[in-house]
Amino acid sequence: MGTLEAHVTTIQDRDQDLSYLWSKITDLEDRSRRDNIRLFGIPENEEGPDVQAFLSSVSPKLTSLTFDPPLEFQRAHRVGLKCPVGASRPHPIIACLLRHTHTRQLLQVARNHGLFWIDRYEIRITANYSKDTNERRKPFLALRPQLRQLEMKYSLFDPVRMWVTPKMGHPKTSTIPRT
C-alpha cells in the first residue's frame, strides 16, 4: 500500500510540473507573438505576391494615426492554404511589426475604433495569441453579446482577464481558471 501511495504522489507531482511547464510554454509563445497582429477581412489574392508590400501600401489608409517612423513590417503571410473560390471568409493575415510601440498603438486604435475600411472591405485587427490562450478567451467572447444587450462596458485584457463596468459603480474583474 505504501508503494502505491508513493507512486500516486509521484504522478501528482509530475502532473503539477507538467501543468507548470505548459503554462510557461504558453507564456513564451504569447510573448514571442507580441509584435504580431492578425488582419481579418482582406479578400484572398488582394495582396498579390508580396503580402508585406501590400500591407505597407495600405497601412496609411487604416488609421488616422501617423507613425514616425512609418509602420514597417518584418514579415507577413496568410494563415493556412489558399481559400477555394467562393469561400465565405478569407484566411486572416498575420503580420509582424518591426517596432513594439507601433504594435501597441495600432492595437489600441483597433480596440477603440472597431472595424476599418480599405476600399470596400471591412478589416478587423486583433492581437495574435497562442492556441491555448485563444481557447481560454473563448468563454469571454461568448459573453460579449449579453454585455452589449445589458449596455455594460467591458474590456478583454491580456491574456485572459475581463473587466466589466456596470452602468453605475466600479469595475469588476473576472478570470476563467485554467482547466
Side-chain angles (χ1 to χ4, degrees), residues 60-138:
K61 299 178 191 176
L62 283 177
T63 69
S64 59
L65 288 179
T66 54
F67 293 95
D68 185 31
L71 287 180
E72 293 180 73
F73 298 93
Q74 285 185 341
R75 57 191 174 276
H77 66 277
R78 281 233 186 239
V79 176
L81 301 173
K82 294 215 178 234
C83 262
V85 175
S88 61
R89 285 190 285 171
H91 289 102
I93 291 177
I94 294 179
C96 179
L97 277 80
L98 184 61
R99 292 173 185 81
H100 182 67
T101 54
H102 287 174
T103 306
R104 291 293 140 216
Q105 288 173 341
L106 190 58
L107 289 173
Q108 182 65 40
V109 169
R111 272 192 291 274
N112 295 336
H113 190 269
L115 294 174
F116 296 97
W117 289 88
I118 297 178
D119 298 327
R120 63 186 184 277
Y121 306 114
E122 285 184 348
I123 308 299
R124 187 168 48 96
I125 300 172
T126 64
N128 183 30
Y129 293 111
S130 66
K131 183 177 179 181
D132 185 52
T133 301
N134 282 330
E135 290 296 320
R136 291 177 57 211
R137 291 170 63 101
K138 271 187 185 177

